[in-house]
Amino acid sequence: MTATADEFDLGGLRLSVGEGRRTELGVRIGSLVLGGERYTAEPERVPVKLEVSRMTGSGYALRLLFQATLEGSCMRCLKRASPKVEVEAREVDRPGGGEELQSPYVNGEKLDLAAWAHDAFALAAPVKVLCREDCAGLCPVCAADLNDLDPARPEHHHEPALDPRWAKLRELKLE
Ligand SMILES: [Zn+2]
Ligand SMILES: [Zn+2]
């Protein structure tokens, strides 16, 4: 069984300088908001691979790899969408010394794995979450689901219906 770790103790690996280790863990990524909609990462405990290398001098180089499903509604047709998201993220934490680099996820020897995995997942998530790549979406006039149209009659359009009051206004503008 994979151990669960939302916070990971880097010091606990007892790595000597230049040594690296790969660990498999389960991390809770939780939910995120994209385009005003809430999405969740599935499964609840996402299995991740964490690679930790202890650098010469001080500090750690970290690499995080995982795949999770983004669950929520399609941004075009509002039906369920569950695209898979591949994540590969790197962090370096080298406190003190000449080239000072501080990872926001590392505090001393403690890695906030849940926060890092959450942010990396949000960055890797698609800008447009769709139920499928070629989702046709909803008709902007009548909100019919354009994915459900009769394949024999795939065209769907509306006569441009002009409100007579607007037509009058148009005439005025032209004068
Ligand atoms: Zn869709
Ligand atoms: Zn329509």
Side-chain angles (χ1 to χ4, degrees):
M1 223 192 96
T2 313
T4 272
D6 291 339
E7 193 181 73
F8 185 78
D9 180 16
L10 298 166
L13 291 174
R14 304 190 177 280
L15 296 174
S16 48
V17 166
E19 199 186 351
R21 180 118 7 116
R22 173 184 269 219
T23 323
E24 305 209 353
L25 300 156
V27 179
R28 192 192 301 271
I29 292 176
S31 63
L32 56 151
V33 174
L34 299 169
E37 287 287 322
R38 184 165 292 275
Y39 292 86
T40 54
E42 298 284 337
E44 197 188 340
R45 287 275 172 191
V46 176
V48 306
K49 288 186 177 72
L50 173 67
E51 291 172 7
V52 181
S53 308
R54 194 159 152 216
M55 293 187 293
T56 314
S58 66
Y60 295 97
L62 308 166
R63 187 164 170 250
L64 180 65
L65 293 156
F66 63 90
Q67 189 189 66
T69 302
L70 186 64
E71 284 280 350
S73 40
C74 172
M75 288 181 180
R76 281 193 198 141
C77 74
L78 310 177
K79 276 192 298 221
R80 188 166 157 272
S82 47
K84 282 217 186 322
V85 179
E86 295 264 2
V87 179
E88 189 196 339
R90 286 166 195 274
E91 281 289 319
V92 168
D93 189 72
R94 187 197 274 284
E99 36 157 344
E100 183 150 334
L101 286 165
Q102 196 94 56
S103 165
Y105 308 111
V106 179
N107 185 5
E109 302 267 277
K110 296 268 187 276
L111 168 67
D112 189 345
L113 191 55
W116 184 21
H118 176 275
D119 292 354
F121 185 67
L123 281 174
V127 181
K128 279 247 169 253
V129 182
L130 301 175
C131 60
R132 55 171 217 245
E133 227 170 282
D134 61 346
C135 171
L138 302 179
C139 169
V141 178
C142 70
D145 189 336
L146 301 179
N147 297 302
D148 295 341
L149 294 181
D150 182 354
R153 299 170 53 228
E155 66 284 343
H156 175 93
H157 43 120
H158 299 267
E159 294 305 322
L162 268 187
D163 186 311
R165 285 167 300 175
W166 289 113
K168 266 271 182 287
L169 203 64
R170 243 182 222 190
E171 278 166 34
L172 288 175
K173 277 208 174 134
L174 285 172
E175 278 166 16

